Each structure stands twice: as C-alpha cells, then as structure tokens.
Amino acid sequence: MRKFQQLKIGEREVLLYLPPSYEKTVRHYPVVYVHDGGFLFTSCLNYLEHLFLSGQLPELICVGVETACRNDEYTPWPAEALTPTSIGFGGMGRGYIDEIAEVLKPYIDRHYRTIPAADSTGMIGGSLGGLISWFAGYWRPDVFGKLGLLSPSFWYPGVLDFVRGSQGLDPNLRVYMSLGGLEGIYKQTVQKNMVYCGKEVYRLMVEQGFPQAQLTFAWDPDGTHDDLFMAQRFPEALQRLFHSTPGLLQPVKENSARYHIPGTEVWRMTADHTGREYRVFVAVPDAPPPEAGYPVLYSLDGNASFGSLAEAMRLQSRGPHGIPAALIVGIGYDSLEPLVTTERFRDYTVYAEDGELPERPGGTKWPETGGADEFLDFLERQLKPELGRRYRINRAKQTLFGHSLGGFVTLYAMMTRREAFQRYAAASPSVWWKNHVLYTLWEQAGETFPDAGESSPEILLITGTEEKESMIRDARELMNRLTQSCPKLAVEYKEVEREGHVSVLPALISELLRFVTS
C-alpha cells in the first residue's frame, strides 16, 4: 500500500495518508484535515505510526489540504497588509471551510472507510492555519468536532473583539491550543501581540463556559513561532483530541511487564496559567466510598512518596480492623528521579533573594524560586475539582502533606489559604527558607485563627531525631509559636527516634495515615 495518495477533488489538491492497518481490516477510521498540504503529519510520520502501533493513539486517516494563498483562505475577513512590502489578507476563510465540509469531506467519506461523525473528524493547522481551524469550530461544528490550534494567529485584526462579542464555541467540541512564550517577540507589527492574544482567547473561552475537560492549553515558555515548534506539538495535539480518555487528565502509558500497584492510575495534567506539566498519581481504595466520600491525602513529591503511601493504605485499610480507606493522590513530575530538584524548588517556595538564603552546599547557584502561589492555585482550581468529578470525595477531610521544601509550602498554604485543606502534615519542614519567613507569616495569619472555631485546620509536624539540630530546633520553635498564639489550634508534634531527614519518610507513614483518616 502507498502511504500517500495525491488526489484532486474539485479544484483542490490534497495529500491522503492511510494508516498501517487500513488494507488489512474492514475498520472505519477517524479523519483529521490538516492545512498547508499536511506537512505537519509528513514531518513526523514514523513517530505517528509508533503511537498507532503502541496503542497511544487511535489510527487516523490524515488529509493534507493545499492552498494557493494562505493570506486569503486562512483569514475570516479582509485586512490590510502588515507592511508596505507584504500582501494583504483576503478574508476568504468561510468559503474555504465550507469547501472542505461540503466537497472534500463528502468525497473522502464516499471513497474511504471513515467515521463521518463530527466527534471523529478533526481540523488542525499552525499559525493562520490554527486561526482558521478555530473559526471552523464557529462556522461548522456540525462537521468538525476536534480543533487543533498550533500557535494560532489570534493577533489577526478584529479577532479579540469577535470573541468578546460571541457566545463562545459549541461546548461539545474538543480543542487543543499550543503557544510559545517567544512567539512574536521580535516583530514590529501587530504580530508582536501573539502571546497576549493567544492567552486572552484562552481566558475568554474559559470565562464563556467552555468546559475545561474539553480544552487543552499547551504552553512552552521557550517556544518560537515556526514550523519546528508546531510540528513538535502535532502528535500531542492528536493524542489529546482523539484519545479515548479526553480531558485535563491524560493517561500515561506504562510498560505492562513492570510491577504495578493495584488500584492505581497515573495521569498527566497541564496547569492552565503556567503551562507546567505534572504527573498525578491516584490510588483508589478497593472498598466503596462511604456516604460522605473518601478522605483524601494530597502528597507532594509524588515521584518519591506515592508508591509507599499507596501500598501502605492498601494494606492497612483491610478489614475488619483496618483504618478507614482514603484516596491517595501524589503530585509529581515527568521524571524517573524521586526528587525533581529544579521543579520542586520552583513550586514549593516563595521568591527569595540570594541574600535571604544561606550559601548553597558547593557554592552553586540556587534554582528558580517563587512559584508556590501558582502551584497552589493549580491544586485548588484544577486538580481538586477534576478529582472531585471523578471520585466521591469527602471535602471535609482533605489533607495536604509535604516533606522538606514540600513541608514549607504545606505550612505556607496553611497560613495563607487555610480553608483549602482541613489538615496539613509537614515532615522536616524547611522553616529556614527566606530567613524564617514562616514566622512572619504566622504573626500575620495567627491573629485570625482563634476566631476560626471549627474551621481551624489540624496540623501535624514530624521530624527525625537524627536530623540537623537546626531543623529540629526550627520545627520545635514553629510548634511553640503556633500553640502560644493560638492555644485552641490542633497541633501535634512528633520526633521519630533514630531517623534522619530522608529516612523519616517511611517511618512516619502509619502516623500520617491515621492523621488523614481519623
């Protein structure tokens, strides 16, 4: 079988790709229509076929649609040229989209084994091709149910006004949008607004009620506006649009020959406002949820902590005398390392100047810091609501747990947004960060806690007796400050005998699980 077929449908040249199993089966396939002649799929075909054959992406028919003039056919209305030496924009996009919907697609559906329904039909393009794909969702949602917008040219004159005045896209669509932080930064024309306009359209879509489970926003701070960046995003766009488990959480495929903890799942999730990608590890109890729902433990440094916590909960919650079952959620990163240094320094700290930190061992430079609030926003605004949709959760029994820097951000969350969780567990917390800034924060926050009544959180502090003296001293001092200024605050402090900064983790698991489920 020839992988590619050059066709002429009406007056339009197209490049057709049929997937590996097409001539071996009688199956019908989803179809994706790709602008600019399909270079996005021809440039990564070997990788796409790997995704097909490994089960990471359903096999697709790809149709590359040629154009004689992008500036005419990929724009929604006419506009003047951007510079005296460039050409203007013809605004013939509606006719182009209708031609694909009413001429090209019917021909492909008649002559090839397709799944004609809109929810099995996609349209993807880059730059102006991303812009016109987005308009296809407004004009023809009856035909194109999946839209791939790679570095879309939302800077185009009048687009933001159009979005603000519209009722929004059909909520049954599925949309993938990618954007690079360096797009347009060297332009002198309106194209310099690429990043702002892209983020603004995304914000407006969310504000207008487009379901976030149907929307992926892929942000690359180093991404530029060129074919390389768009082609790199194309396979992921197909996965997010056509995978059988859509939404904010996407499954991470594991080697089935490896050991797997029963009842666990691993997902990837992208933060809306930062574009940072996280691994979300979930352990669901065997027992059905109680009427109030499962208690939940959110564990930071999920790469290091999740496996031990999941196995311990699976064992200790066995009846008839076990502890109540709880949902274990680990928040980690795309890494094989247990502790992902750069990312955790960013997510688990408030910003600190060099003069506010001790000299780092070896004299090396401290990593980027200061992302604690963005990280906690991700937990609050995306992760918790998504888990609440998937599982029956007891919203009155949610615990945040972190170790070391994770302990710092756990206590920071307790002091700055205490109602986010009902219980906070900090192991060997880095109280020293930013000249002991937690002491200052508590002076400000502690004044409101005595009046909080039943809404006051419960706090568990744990250290090992073999840790640095300063680590133990800081934890004791923090505990004293918490209880002295707020005697009714439920604070429990424990020191685990013969355990150091790392070895304290497995030693505290039973105590932590009792704290979570009591």
Side-chain angles (χ1 to χ4, degrees), residues 98-176:
D98 284 342
E99 180 188 346
I100 297 176
E102 298 170 7
V103 180
L104 272 62
K105 184 179 185 299
Y107 180 95
I108 297 296
D109 290 341
R110 283 196 306 271
H111 291 83
Y112 300 91
R113 297 195 308 275
T114 69
I115 304 174
D119 61 6
S120 293
T121 306
M123 177 174 282
I124 298 182
S127 193
L128 285 174
L131 174 68
I132 205 61
S133 295
W134 187 78
F135 271 96
Y138 273 100
W139 296 329
R140 301 305 301 262
D142 58 316
V143 177
F144 306 104
K146 302 177 187 297
L147 309 177
L149 321 176
L150 310 180
S151 302
S153 295
F154 288 131
W155 55 262
Y156 192 78
V159 166
L160 289 187
D161 289 339
F162 175 87
V163 182
R164 290 173 180 136
S166 75
Q167 297 299 311
L169 287 173
D170 186 323
N172 294 310
L173 295 172
R174 196 178 301 172
V175 179
Y176 175 96

XYZ file of all heavy atoms in Angstrom, residues 98-176:
623
model
N -16.126 25.886 4.135
C -17.315 25.251 3.559
C -16.935 24.293 2.430
O -17.579 23.243 2.257
C -18.280 26.313 3.038
C -19.041 27.014 4.161
O -19.077 26.472 5.284
O -19.594 28.110 3.911
N -15.893 24.621 1.680
C -15.450 23.717 0.621
C -14.957 22.395 1.212
O -15.268 21.307 0.693
C -14.334 24.363 -0.202
C -13.820 23.459 -1.322
C -12.590 24.009 -2.012
O -12.274 25.203 -1.815
O -11.927 23.241 -2.729
N -14.186 22.471 2.283
C -13.727 21.232 2.928
C -14.921 20.450 3.452
O -15.002 19.219 3.293
C -12.741 21.549 4.058
C -11.487 22.228 3.514
C -12.342 20.261 4.795
C -10.493 22.667 4.583
N -15.874 21.158 4.081
C -17.023 20.484 4.691
C -17.971 19.900 3.655
O -18.547 18.819 3.868
C -17.776 21.471 5.588
N -18.155 20.570 2.515
C -19.211 20.191 1.573
C -18.699 19.524 0.308
O -19.487 18.925 -0.434
C -20.016 21.442 1.206
C -20.713 22.060 2.406
C -21.310 23.425 2.121
O -21.293 23.830 0.933
O -21.780 24.094 3.063
N -17.380 19.611 0.033
C -16.832 18.989 -1.172
C -15.788 17.932 -0.807
O -15.923 16.759 -1.164
C -16.212 20.060 -2.115
C -15.640 19.377 -3.367
C -17.262 21.102 -2.516
N -14.749 18.343 -0.084
C -13.657 17.405 0.211
C -14.106 16.281 1.141
O -13.880 15.094 0.871
C -12.470 18.149 0.839
C -11.438 18.728 -0.135
C -12.056 19.782 -1.048
C -10.262 19.319 0.625
N -14.730 16.649 2.256
C -15.110 15.622 3.224
C -16.108 14.615 2.650
O -15.930 13.397 2.833
C -15.663 16.265 4.503
C -15.980 15.228 5.603
C -16.489 15.890 6.864
C -16.677 14.863 7.954
N -17.666 13.822 7.613
N -17.162 15.037 1.951
C -18.054 14.036 1.362
C -17.324 13.095 0.394
O -17.632 11.895 0.345
C -19.099 14.882 0.634
C -19.128 16.164 1.400
C -17.712 16.398 1.814
N -16.372 13.613 -0.379
C -15.617 12.752 -1.292
C -14.805 11.723 -0.495
O -14.818 10.521 -0.820
C -14.679 13.605 -2.150
C -13.849 12.791 -3.119
C -14.264 12.596 -4.433
C -12.641 12.208 -2.714
C -13.509 11.838 -5.314
C -11.874 11.449 -3.590
C -12.311 11.271 -4.887
O -11.565 10.509 -5.755
N -14.098 12.176 0.525
C -13.286 11.254 1.343
C -14.188 10.218 2.006
O -13.871 9.021 2.037
C -12.476 12.036 2.390
C -11.477 12.997 1.713
C -11.743 11.080 3.334
C -10.411 12.319 0.901
N -15.325 10.646 2.525
C -16.241 9.714 3.204
C -16.816 8.681 2.234
O -17.073 7.530 2.619
C -17.389 10.483 3.873
C -16.928 11.299 5.075
O -15.841 11.002 5.614
O -17.649 12.244 5.467
N -17.043 9.066 0.977
C -17.589 8.115 -0.006
C -16.559 7.094 -0.456
O -16.885 5.922 -0.689
C -18.110 8.879 -1.236
C -19.432 9.570 -1.067
C -20.032 9.943 -2.419
N -19.116 10.729 -3.244
C -19.024 12.050 -3.234
N -19.815 12.745 -2.419
N -18.179 12.683 -4.019
N -15.312 7.509 -0.596
C -14.309 6.654 -1.212
C -13.411 5.910 -0.210
O -12.666 5.008 -0.622
C -13.431 7.482 -2.150
C -14.155 7.967 -3.372
N -14.937 9.107 -3.373
C -14.232 7.454 -4.640
C -15.459 9.283 -4.582
N -15.047 8.302 -5.361
N -13.488 6.247 1.073
C -12.622 5.616 2.074
C -13.447 5.288 3.317
O -14.522 5.850 3.536
C -11.441 6.528 2.435
C -10.580 6.843 1.231
C -10.842 7.974 0.447
C -9.550 5.992 0.850
C -10.089 8.257 -0.683
C -8.780 6.269 -0.280
C -9.057 7.397 -1.041
O -8.311 7.655 -2.153
N -12.950 4.350 4.094
C -13.689 3.875 5.274
C -13.449 4.852 6.432
O -12.543 4.662 7.248
C -13.262 2.463 5.640
C -13.573 1.426 4.576
C -13.473 0.006 5.110
N -12.199 -0.242 5.786
C -11.069 -0.599 5.175
N -11.055 -0.737 3.840
N -9.969 -0.809 5.851
N -14.260 5.861 6.490
C -14.137 6.875 7.531
C -15.256 6.720 8.554
O -16.256 6.030 8.322
C -14.223 8.288 6.936
O -15.556 8.514 6.459
C -13.231 8.465 5.796
N -15.092 7.384 9.688
C -16.194 7.599 10.636
C -16.639 9.039 10.417
O -15.956 9.976 10.840
C -15.738 7.380 12.099
C -15.135 5.982 12.259
C -16.911 7.571 13.055
C -14.538 5.726 13.631
N -17.745 9.265 9.738
C -18.076 10.618 9.269
C -18.495 11.593 10.367
O -18.493 12.802 10.139
C -19.240 10.385 8.301
C -19.208 8.916 7.981
C -18.665 8.251 9.202
N -18.882 11.092 11.550
C -19.449 11.968 12.575
C -18.470 13.070 12.980
O -17.247 12.909 12.910
C -19.835 11.141 13.799
N -19.025 14.189 13.428
C -18.191 15.334 13.817
C -17.228 14.982 14.937
O -16.091 15.461 14.956
C -19.087 16.505 14.232
N -17.671 14.136 15.885
C -16.784 13.827 17.004
C -15.653 12.872 16.619
O -14.811 12.536 17.453
C -17.561 13.278 18.205
C -18.297 11.988 17.902
O -18.138 11.437 16.790
O -19.026 11.497 18.782
N -15.628 12.454 15.347
C -14.492 11.677 14.838
C -13.772 12.407 13.711
O -12.987 11.806 12.980
C -14.978 10.308 14.338
O -15.435 9.511 15.409
N -14.047 13.695 13.578
C -13.461 14.493 12.498
C -12.767 15.712 13.084
O -13.376 16.494 13.816
C -14.541 14.962 11.504
O -15.272 13.819 11.033
C -13.908 15.683 10.330
N -11.484 15.865 12.750
C -10.719 16.980 13.278
C -10.185 17.887 12.189
O -10.156 17.537 11.009
N -9.765 19.063 12.617
C -9.097 20.014 11.729
C -7.959 20.648 12.516
O -8.159 21.124 13.637
C -10.068 21.078 11.225
C -9.397 22.141 10.354
S -10.583 23.285 9.616
C -11.209 22.270 8.268
N -6.749 20.649 11.925
C -5.568 21.155 12.623
C -4.751 22.019 11.670
O -4.595 21.696 10.490
C -4.682 20.003 13.140
C -5.445 19.151 14.158
C -3.411 20.532 13.792
C -4.631 18.018 14.754
N -4.212 23.094 12.211
C -3.306 23.924 11.440
C -2.444 24.765 12.344
O -2.708 24.898 13.548
N -1.399 25.349 11.761
C -0.489 26.195 12.507
C -0.540 27.623 12.027
O -0.764 27.906 10.844
N -0.355 28.567 12.960
C -0.323 29.995 12.651
C -1.683 30.432 12.094
O -2.708 30.241 12.756
C 0.828 30.290 11.694
O 1.078 31.675 11.612
N -1.744 30.964 10.880
C -3.040 31.291 10.294
C -3.894 30.041 10.119
O -5.132 30.105 10.178
C -2.854 31.997 8.953
C -2.394 33.464 8.994
C -2.125 33.969 7.574
C -3.410 34.352 9.696
N -3.233 28.884 9.909
C -3.974 27.622 9.841
C -4.642 27.285 11.164
O -5.713 26.680 11.189
N -4.011 27.663 12.284
C -4.650 27.492 13.587
C -5.825 28.433 13.751
O -6.866 28.068 14.314
N -5.671 29.657 13.241
C -6.764 30.632 13.317
C -7.992 30.134 12.568
O -9.107 30.158 13.103
C -6.288 31.970 12.741
C -7.351 33.063 12.616
C -7.800 33.540 13.994
C -6.824 34.237 11.782
N -7.802 29.659 11.345
C -8.966 29.264 10.556
C -9.566 27.960 11.076
O -10.777 27.720 10.948
C -8.609 29.177 9.046
C -9.875 29.372 8.186
C -7.896 27.877 8.709
C -10.537 30.724 8.378
N -8.739 27.105 11.701
C -9.290 25.904 12.339
C -10.232 26.296 13.471
O -11.280 25.677 13.673
C -8.154 25.028 12.886
O -7.351 24.530 11.844
N -9.836 27.325 14.208
C -10.671 27.800 15.315
C -12.001 28.338 14.788
O -13.063 28.063 15.350
C -9.900 28.867 16.076
C -10.546 29.342 17.325
C -10.583 28.712 18.536
C -11.243 30.572 17.506
N -11.242 29.475 19.450
C -11.667 30.622 18.848
C -11.543 31.640 16.663
C -12.374 31.694 19.367
C -12.255 32.716 17.181
C -12.662 32.736 18.509
N -11.960 29.086 13.687
C -13.204 29.594 13.106
C -14.065 28.466 12.550
O -15.297 28.578 12.528
C -12.901 30.638 12.031
C -12.798 32.027 12.587
C -11.562 32.571 12.904
C -13.937 32.777 12.831
C -11.466 33.851 13.439
C -13.860 34.058 13.366
C -12.622 34.598 13.675
N -13.436 27.375 12.132
C -14.235 26.230 11.687
C -15.137 25.735 12.813
O -16.241 25.240 12.572
C -13.319 25.106 11.201
N -14.658 25.876 14.060
C -15.482 25.496 15.197
C -16.694 26.393 15.373
O -17.738 25.951 15.881
N -16.598 27.648 14.959
C -17.755 28.551 14.992
C -18.697 28.293 13.827
O -19.916 28.254 13.986
C -17.278 30.012 14.944
C -16.952 30.593 16.294
C -15.639 30.677 16.725
C -17.962 31.049 17.147
C -15.339 31.208 17.970
C -17.669 31.584 18.392
C -16.355 31.656 18.799
O -16.055 32.180 20.028
N -18.104 28.139 12.633
C -18.919 28.057 11.435
C -19.495 26.668 11.188
O -20.636 26.550 10.749
C -18.083 28.475 10.219
C -17.627 29.901 10.254
C -18.262 30.961 10.813
C -16.415 30.414 9.674
N -17.534 32.110 10.630
C -16.388 31.806 9.921
C -15.360 29.845 8.967
C -15.347 32.630 9.499
C -14.319 30.656 8.529
C -14.311 32.034 8.803
N -18.714 25.618 11.453
C -19.151 24.264 11.086
C -18.918 23.252 12.216
O -18.282 22.219 12.024
C -18.444 23.808 9.817
C -18.656 24.679 8.592
C -20.141 24.881 8.253
N -20.861 23.662 8.007
C -21.120 23.164 6.796
N -20.703 23.818 5.715
N -21.803 22.064 6.653
N -19.443 23.502 13.415
C -19.295 22.495 14.479
C -20.053 21.214 14.175
O -19.801 20.181 14.802
C -19.865 23.209 15.709
C -20.844 24.205 15.155
C -20.232 24.661 13.862
N -20.966 21.288 13.199
C -21.690 20.090 12.785
C -20.798 19.121 12.018
O -21.124 17.930 11.883
C -22.877 20.479 11.903
C -22.452 21.268 10.659
O -21.602 22.181 10.800
O -22.946 20.967 9.552
N -19.651 19.609 11.536
C -18.757 18.793 10.713
C -17.449 18.497 11.432
O -16.962 17.363 11.423
C -18.467 19.492 9.368
C -17.483 18.670 8.533
C -19.766 19.721 8.597
N -16.869 19.504 12.073
C -15.540 19.381 12.688
C -15.672 19.476 14.207
O -15.928 20.542 14.750
C -14.601 20.463 12.158
C -14.516 20.500 10.652
C -15.161 21.489 9.919
C -13.811 19.512 9.965
C -15.092 21.513 8.539
C -13.746 19.520 8.581
C -14.391 20.518 7.862
N -15.501 18.336 14.871
C -15.692 18.289 16.322
C -14.422 18.410 17.127
O -14.475 18.532 18.361
N -13.262 18.370 16.446
C -11.979 18.425 17.150
C -11.087 19.450 16.457
O -10.847 19.344 15.253
C -11.316 17.052 17.161
C -12.181 15.953 17.811
C -11.488 14.608 17.729
C -12.392 13.471 18.201
N -12.777 13.595 19.610
N -10.592 20.411 17.210
C -9.848 21.528 16.632
C -8.439 21.582 17.220
O -8.276 21.640 18.446
C -10.560 22.849 16.919
C -12.050 22.920 16.580
C -12.618 24.264 16.990
C -12.288 22.642 15.103
N -7.427 21.588 16.344
C -6.040 21.728 16.767
C -5.510 23.091 16.366
O -5.440 23.417 15.174
N -5.150 23.901 17.334
C -4.706 25.274 17.097
C -3.252 25.382 17.526
O -2.948 25.551 18.707
C -5.560 26.262 17.899
C -7.068 25.951 18.001
C -7.751 26.956 18.899
C -7.714 25.915 16.624
N -2.326 25.259 16.586
C -0.906 25.298 16.881
C -0.383 26.700 16.626
O -0.383 27.170 15.489
C -0.167 24.270 16.016
C -0.743 22.845 16.026
C 0.074 21.926 15.129
C -0.829 22.292 17.436
N 0.014 27.389 17.676
C 0.482 28.784 17.562
C -0.501 29.626 16.749
O -0.115 30.288 15.781
C 1.872 28.819 16.921
O 2.805 28.072 17.655
N -1.770 29.625 17.114
C -2.782 30.291 16.285
C -2.568 31.803 16.224
O -2.172 32.441 17.197
C -4.094 29.946 16.994
C -3.698 29.684 18.414
C -2.349 29.037 18.338
N -2.864 32.389 15.080
C -2.646 33.820 14.840
C -3.834 34.636 15.340
O -4.527 35.317 14.562
C -2.400 34.067 13.351
O -1.212 33.447 12.929
N -4.055 34.606 16.649
C -5.154 35.369 17.216
C -4.865 36.872 17.265
O -5.713 37.649 17.690
C -5.498 34.844 18.608
C -6.193 33.513 18.606
C -5.765 32.475 19.425
C -7.286 33.293 17.785
C -6.411 31.251 19.425
C -7.940 32.073 17.778
C -7.509 31.050 18.600
N -3.674 37.258 16.826
C -3.363 38.681 16.684
C -4.135 39.315 15.519
O -4.172 40.536 15.391
C -1.859 38.876 16.426
C -1.375 38.079 15.235
C -0.757 36.872 15.261
C -1.487 38.430 13.850
N -0.475 36.428 13.986
C -0.913 37.371 13.090
C -1.998 39.535 13.168
C -0.848 37.388 11.701
C -1.944 39.539 11.772
C -1.378 38.481 11.057
N -4.732 38.498 14.673
C -5.381 38.990 13.459
C -6.405 40.070 13.812
O -7.205 39.914 14.752
C -6.059 37.841 12.721
C -6.506 38.188 11.317
C -5.591 38.244 10.280
C -7.837 38.483 11.044
C -5.988 38.577 8.986
C -8.248 38.806 9.761
C -7.312 38.863 8.737
O -7.716 39.208 7.477
N -6.408 41.188 13.072
C -7.279 42.322 13.414
C -8.740 41.920 13.562
O -9.310 41.266 12.688
C -7.082 43.283 12.233
C -5.714 42.961 11.717
C -5.552 41.489 11.892
N -9.326 42.296 14.686
C -10.740 42.061 14.929
C -11.070 40.769 15.638
O -12.216 40.569 16.047
N -10.088 39.871 15.800
C -10.399 38.559 16.380
C -10.816 38.687 17.842
O -11.816 38.093 18.272
C -9.196 37.601 16.230
C -9.376 36.369 17.106
C -9.052 37.168 14.777
N -10.070 39.422 18.649
C -10.432 39.527 20.062
C -11.817 40.152 20.236
O -12.604 39.715 21.084
C -9.378 40.335 20.822
C -8.020 39.668 21.044
C -7.146 40.522 21.944
C -8.167 38.272 21.642
N -12.136 41.165 19.425
C -13.470 41.762 19.505
C -14.539 40.740 19.134
O -15.620 40.699 19.747
C -13.567 42.979 18.575
C -12.754 44.159 19.084
O -12.456 44.199 20.293
O -12.408 45.028 18.260
N -14.236 39.922 18.127
C -15.183 38.880 17.731
C -15.426 37.907 18.889
O -16.576 37.569 19.191
C -14.652 38.119 16.517
C -15.504 36.948 16.112
C -16.567 37.114 15.245
C -15.247 35.671 16.609
C -17.366 36.032 14.874
C -16.034 34.590 16.248
C -17.104 34.774 15.371
N -14.353 37.480 19.541
C -14.500 36.512 20.634
C -15.292 37.128 21.779
O -16.192 36.503 22.347
C -13.118 36.039 21.133
C -13.283 35.007 22.241
C -12.316 35.431 19.991
N -14.960 38.360 22.128
C -15.643 39.011 23.259
C -17.134 39.205 22.978
O -17.951 39.180 23.900
C -14.980 40.357 23.549
C -13.576 40.219 24.134
C -12.880 41.556 24.263
N -11.536 41.396 24.814
C -10.453 42.012 24.360
N -10.558 42.847 23.319
N -9.280 41.806 24.918
N -17.485 39.380 21.723
C -18.888 39.591 21.385
C -19.646 38.325 21.058
O -20.849 38.380 20.788
N -18.976 37.182 21.092
C -19.620 35.920 20.715
C -20.180 35.211 21.939
O -19.898 35.565 23.079
C -18.616 35.011 20.009
O -17.713 34.443 20.947
N -20.947 34.164 21.680
C -21.484 33.324 22.742
C -20.546 32.184 23.098
O -20.842 31.381 23.976
C -22.843 32.747 22.301
C -23.908 33.805 22.059
C -24.222 34.612 23.309
O -24.455 34.046 24.370
N -24.217 35.924 23.174
N -19.415 32.122 22.413
C -18.456 31.048 22.695
C -18.634 29.864 21.778
O -19.637 29.733 21.064
N -17.644 28.995 21.783
C -17.686 27.793 20.956
C -18.690 26.784 21.492
O -19.013 26.766 22.692
C -16.299 27.144 20.916
C -15.214 27.832 20.088
C -13.874 27.143 20.314
C -15.559 27.814 18.607
N -19.158 25.928 20.607
C -20.024 24.814 20.985
C -19.308 23.981 22.053
O -18.185 23.519 21.851
C -20.291 23.957 19.740
C -21.297 22.840 20.003
O -21.279 22.256 21.097
O -22.075 22.529 19.087
N -19.930 23.756 23.223
C -19.259 23.032 24.312
C -19.005 21.563 24.020
O -18.294 20.904 24.782
C -20.213 23.204 25.500
C -21.549 23.470 24.875
C -21.267 24.231 23.615
N -19.565 21.047 22.937
C -19.310 19.650 22.579
C -18.010 19.473 21.804
O -17.572 18.345 21.576
C -20.476 19.101 21.745
C -21.759 19.017 22.551
O -21.768 18.481 23.653
N -22.841 19.568 22.012
N -17.399 20.581 21.378
C -16.128 20.491 20.667
C -15.018 20.088 21.630
O -15.131 20.235 22.845
C -15.788 21.837 20.031
C -16.725 22.346 18.930
C -16.362 23.773 18.552
C -16.648 21.444 17.708
N -13.925 19.601 21.062
C -12.701 19.371 21.829
C -11.610 20.215 21.181
O -11.443 20.195 19.964
C -12.324 17.891 21.830
C -11.304 17.547 22.922
C -10.985 16.067 22.913
N -12.178 15.261 23.134
C -12.198 13.937 23.019
N -11.100 13.289 22.665
N -13.307 13.270 23.229
N -10.846 20.958 22.000
C -9.893 21.935 21.474
C -8.529 21.724 22.104
O -8.412 21.552 23.321
C -10.373 23.376 21.750
C -9.354 24.389 21.228
C -11.741 23.622 21.114
N -7.507 21.756 21.260
C -6.103 21.754 21.707
C -5.459 23.035 21.192
O -5.494 23.323 20.001
C -5.360 20.540 21.156
C -3.874 20.519 21.479
C -3.403 19.806 22.570
C -2.961 21.206 20.695
C -2.047 19.781 22.880
C -1.602 21.196 20.992
C -1.149 20.477 22.089
O 0.198 20.461 22.390
